[in-house]
Amino acid sequence: MCGIIAITTSSKVNVSKMITDGLKKLEYRGYDSVGIATINNGKINILKDAGTIDKVNNRLSLENLQGTIGIGHTRWATHGPPSRENAHPHSDCTGNIIVVHNGIIENYLELKENLLKKGHNFSSETDSEVFAHLMEEELKQKNHELSFINAFKRVLAKIEGTYAITLIHSEEPETIFLARKDSPLVIGIREDTKFAASDIPAFLEYTKKVIVLKNGEIATLTPQAVYIEKNGFRIQPKPVIVSWTAASAQKSGYPHFMLKEIHEQPIALRNTLKIDLNVINKASSKILDAERIIFLACGTSYHAALSGYHQFQRILKKKPVYKVIASEFESYSHLFDEETLIFAISQSGETLDVMKALSPARKLGASIISIANVVDSSIPRLSHISLYTKAGPEIGVAATKTHTAQVSLLARLALQLEYDTGLVEKNEFNQNLESLISEIPQVTRSVINQNEFKAKSLASIISNQNHAYFLARGMSIPVALEGALKLKEISYIHAEAFPAGESKHGPIAIVESMFPVIMIAPNDRTAKKMLSNAEEMRARGAYIISVTEKDHNIIERSDYTFIVPKTMSPLVRPITYVIPLQMLAYYAAVRRGFDPDKPKNLAKTVTVE
Ligand code: AGP
């Protein structure tokens, strides 16, 4: 939530263009208002307003601000509606201290009250502005000679909540001050230029050399140096070189990132399945050693977790396996102990709800395995074993390729568990593994090719509807949930998913003529019952859309059909069946005139509770 970028350089270029471009790459984190501040010849310049980056840039020419140091922010509103006043950067009363912030300062009201009593004037309703005034106040204290960094630390000690903070001061015209607690910040390193941002794609065009700032760390950046400390001790982290390319964070001819990312699935899954065997073995033995397993995630990652949950239950039989929406972890925290394994899944690796659950779990001795897409992010760092999807950066707010990559990693792990628990012999395991690795990329490509045009056509039919149901049974329920989430989050059609058998216990009441009902119907043990559920819906006038295989009888009872190939491994189904639904959501959003990459009210990485 909210995107931050800061740059300081000794090369004689104005950083405002790089900051504006970087903000565009971070727009998925929030896009209701935007702003930039630079220092030029000791003077602060700020431009900001409500609106998307392109709109505000066209109006104010953000990218023409002069100066070789600057900070920028794209906002997802928490405190105060989107407006010029509430847009970041914020400044103190003197206008010399400039701050951008991502997170929530929970005690801001109390801090603000004190500052108001001391005569400070506030220009916004945000929690973030207090930081600039607190700095001003600290620096005013003449009785102790405070260096700027010490004042910064004293302010950090006063605030409660979560933050990624970036600050500049007109009297320190080369230095950027940074601090993080629970909200992400990464540093990019080039010889003459240093970057800080909420996410790597913001500066990927200029450098792949990265340091991920950890919780509690404070940093200062000058064009030549990076200085990091924690609790008063200097830290010397080893920068990592990321494998993502600058092109991977660009649309490359596609109208939207989401469509590009849907098309990138074959390659994302192929790369993900190249996982090191040692890591898989380690994860498998951790799972087998545990007394119980708790899958923990949010949103789309939770739907991947549900696929894992079904597979683990099937394989581990009597071992208890739970599925928990991370923000609801407290109802399960009595299970957190040395015997418990938490399996956390998160694309960003920074989702606060997941982190809030992992911290107590770790303290109570639970083991943690995670799947994340962003290397070295917070959730992998809280984990004992980190598995990574190799999907490349995902910019569209709606997760697509990272979801199917998560599911493919869980499928790989399920195969390992089948073998390690003695459910299958070595030969069968080898065959299954070979077919999974060769089948997934090829079959995902053919599902995309065969269904994209159909998805586009169907979108023109259902884009006039206000509601849709997604029905499934058994292991296909996560697909239905994910299909419904995709459709509602980007096209704003109200969509709900139910176990198909449950639909007659209430949801069917609102079904009427042309009501879209999407049936996820593999030709498996659920086939006959799904057919009956389709009939029940049809009898009420529903418009039946099925995602199925070519020999399923449901085709005759459907108004519209997506055909997916029958795969050798049933583990591949949650991938093949979800792809037509991703495309349907995408084309429905476009058809309804919405930008699928930037759905309203949403941010890609949710770093507030
Ligand atoms: C995905 O389409 C959603 N925008 C959202 O539900 C997302 O999956 C959720 O916020 C979890 O994010 P994470 O995977 O980064 O933890």
Side-chain angles (χ1 to χ4, degrees):
M1 320 218 111
C2 301
I4 290 177
I5 176 164
I7 306 176
T8 177
T9 183
S10 59
S11 69
K12 303 264 173 275
V13 294
N14 289 323
V15 290
S16 54
K17 172 81 174 87
M18 290 196 272
I19 292 179
T20 314
D21 291 347
L23 288 175
K24 288 282 302 163
K25 308 270 164 49
L26 295 174
E27 213 173 3
Y28 67 84
R29 303 180 64 88
Y31 28 82
D32 56 48
S33 35
V34 62
I36 292 187
T38 59
I39 306 176
N40 189 32
N41 297 328
K43 190 177 158 280
I44 302 273
N45 307 299
I46 301 185
L47 290 175
K48 60 180 190 172
D49 209 345
T52 61
I53 297 167
D54 279 343
K55 283 194 183 136
V56 177
N57 190 29
N58 285 343
R59 217 163 39 234
L60 304 177
S61 300
L62 300 175
E63 59 189 22
N64 293 331
L65 269 184
Q66 304 283 301
T68 54
I69 180 170
I71 55 181
H73 187 271
T74 177
R75 182 170 184 245
W76 185 87
T78 57
H79 294 66
S83 66
R84 187 193 173 277
E85 293 68 36
N86 291 333
H88 296 222
H90 294 290
S91 56
D92 67 327
C93 300
T94 66
N96 293 325
I97 302 166
I98 312 296
V99 67
V100 295
H101 165 231
N102 169 25
I104 291 180
I105 300 178
E106 286 164 2
N107 58 338
Y108 88 102
L109 279 175
E110 167 194 332
L111 295 168
K112 189 170 176 175
E113 209 173 299
N114 278 333
L115 289 160
L116 285 168
K117 279 188 201 146
K118 290 181 179 157
H120 287 258
N121 292 319
F122 280 78
S123 328
S124 77
E125 296 165 71
T126 66
D127 52 335
S128 313
E129 192 184 342
V130 294
F131 201 93
H133 294 275
L134 285 170
M135 276 299 288
E136 180 189 359
E137 199 54 33
E138 282 300 333
L139 291 167
K140 259 201 258 171
Q141 310 297 317
K142 290 270 177 340
N143 52 349
H144 47 260
E145 278 286 298
L146 269 186
S147 66
F148 202 81
I149 185 75
N150 283 335
F152 188 60
K153 287 189 218 165
R154 285 170 67 96
V155 174
L156 288 171
K158 287 185 178 155
I159 61 172
E160 290 162 18
T162 58
Y163 51 81
I165 285 192
T166 305
L167 185 142
I168 51 176
H169 187 295
S170 57
E171 286 168 24
E172 302 265 355
E174 286 206 317
T175 312
I176 298 166
F177 298 85
L178 322 171
R180 97 158 261 188
K181 184 176 166 239
D182 292 336
S183 300
L185 263 185
V186 283
I187 296 169
I189 302 168
R190 232 168 73 153
E191 210 169 296
D192 56 355
T193 309
K194 303 293 173 285
F195 305 80
S198 305
D199 201 357
I200 298 163
F203 53 68
L204 198 53
E205 216 176 313
Y206 311 103
T207 182
K208 291 183 172 199
K209 201 169 171 186
V210 166
I211 295 171
V212 182
L213 207 64
K214 300 194 178 78
N215 263 347
E217 290 181 349
I218 296 171
T220 50
L221 309 182
T222 58
Q224 282 74 32
V226 173
Y227 178 88
I228 303 178
E229 62 167 271
K230 184 171 183 177
N231 300 330
F233 295 101
R234 178 158 197 188
I235 311 269
Q236 284 190 301
K238 235 176 121 213
V240 289
I241 308 294
V242 292
S243 59
W244 295 355
T245 60
S248 62
Q250 270 148 19
K251 285 187 198 157
S252 313
Y254 284 91
H256 297 101
F257 280 111
M258 185 180 174
L259 189 61
K260 178 184 175 230
E261 287 157 4
I262 288 173
H263 278 265
E264 281 173 345
Q265 291 182 103
I267 196 151
L269 274 47
R270 195 188 65 203
N271 291 342
T272 298
L273 286 170
K274 283 182 191 152
I275 185 161
D276 183 348
L277 186 59
N278 285 328
V279 183
I280 285 287
N281 282 333
K282 263 168 61 186
S284 170
S285 51
K286 246 297 171 259
I287 292 164
L288 295 177
D289 284 349
E291 282 290 316
R292 63 188 77 83
I293 292 143
I294 301 180
F295 277 97
L296 193 87
C298 307
T300 290
S301 293
Y302 178 70
H303 300 150
L306 287 181
S307 287
Y309 159 83
H310 280 294
Q311 293 307 332
F312 280 31
Q313 268 205 327
R314 173 181 64 83
I315 301 164
L316 302 174
K317 302 206 173 359
K318 291 194 171 152
K319 186 174 289 203
V321 185
Y322 301 82
K323 47 184 163 52
V324 178
I325 288 183
S327 54
E328 290 297 321
F329 81 91
E330 270 154 1
S331 311
Y332 295 82
S333 54
H334 61 284
L335 297 173
F336 290 0
D337 62 21
E338 298 84 4
E339 312 295 330
T340 297
L341 170 74
I342 311 271
F343 205 118
I345 305 183
S346 169
Q347 179 283 130
S348 60
E350 298 289 350
T351 297
L352 193 60
D353 285 327
V354 179
M355 284 160 62
K356 287 280 172 182
L358 293 186
S359 303
R362 227 192 130 108
K363 278 196 197 113
L364 293 164
S367 300
I368 301 170
I369 300 182
S370 64
I371 295 183
N373 193 47
V374 180
V375 176
D376 220 17
S377 49
S378 299
I379 290 167
R381 271 199 259 112
L382 282 165
S383 310
H384 298 95
I385 299 177
S386 315
L387 311 178
Y388 285 105
T389 48
K390 300 271 170 51
E394 188 176 67
I395 314 280
V397 167
T400 51
K401 62 176 179 174
T402 55
H403 172 70
T404 48
Q406 290 164 346
V407 175
S408 62
L409 212 45
L410 289 163
R412 171 66 186 89
L413 203 45
L415 287 187
Q416 195 64 42
L417 288 171
E418 282 177 351
Y419 175 61
D420 292 349
T421 53
L423 219 62
V424 299
E425 297 292 328
K426 185 91 183 159
N427 279 349
E428 196 181 342
F429 165 69
N430 283 338
Q431 270 171 19
N432 290 347
L433 186 56
E434 212 183 297
S435 66
L436 186 82
I437 292 172
S438 62
E439 197 172 34
I440 282 190
Q442 173 221 322
V443 100
T444 45
R445 169 62 59 220
S446 80
V447 172
I448 296 169
N449 291 345
Q450 285 166 26
N451 290 289
E452 185 163 8
F453 181 73
K454 283 185 141 191
K456 205 170 173 174
S457 311
L458 179 61
S460 66
I461 302 171
I462 73 153
S463 56
N464 301 323
Q465 300 294 322
N466 295 320
H467 310 276
Y469 280 166
F470 288 72
L471 303 185
R473 284 176 177 261
M475 298 203 185
S476 300
I477 290 174
V479 176
L481 288 163
E482 178 57 9
L485 176 60
K486 282 290 91 82
L487 188 66
K488 80 180 120 192
E489 74 176 328
I490 59 170
S491 78
Y492 317 141
I493 294 173
H494 168 232
E496 286 190 77
F498 303 99
E502 191 64 11
S503 58
K504 58 188 178 294
H505 295 284
I508 201 167
I510 62 164
V511 172
E512 57 188 6
S513 173
M514 284 306 283
F515 189 108
V517 177
I518 294 134
M519 314 286 299
I520 318 303
N523 208 356
D524 60 7
R525 62 165 186 84
T526 66
K528 281 197 181 124
K529 288 184 179 161
M530 285 298 286
L531 192 58
S532 308
N533 297 134
E535 294 287 12
E536 289 154 15
M537 291 290 168
R538 242 176 105 77
R540 272 90 193 161
Y543 186 81
I544 306 290
I545 299 149
S546 56
V547 187
T548 189
E549 289 145 26
K550 67 175 183 319
D551 51 359
H552 197 309
N553 292 337
I554 204 165
I555 295 173
E556 285 148 39
R557 316 307 295 149
S558 304
D559 298 289
Y560 208 93
T561 310
F562 291 105
I563 303 285
V564 296
K566 193 168 192 77
T567 52
M568 274 184 275
S569 167
L571 293 170
V572 184
R573 271 189 210 138
I575 298 171
T576 49
Y577 276 72
V578 87
I579 291 173
L581 306 181
Q582 297 171 341
M583 296 192 292
L584 175 62
Y586 170 80
Y587 283 109
V590 172
R591 179 88 195 178
R592 284 163 71 95
F594 303 122
D595 181 349
D597 286 344
K598 291 181 232 137
K600 68 177 156 70
N601 305 337
L602 290 181
K604 185 152 186 79
T605 308
V606 182
T607 52
V608 292
E609 274 181 278

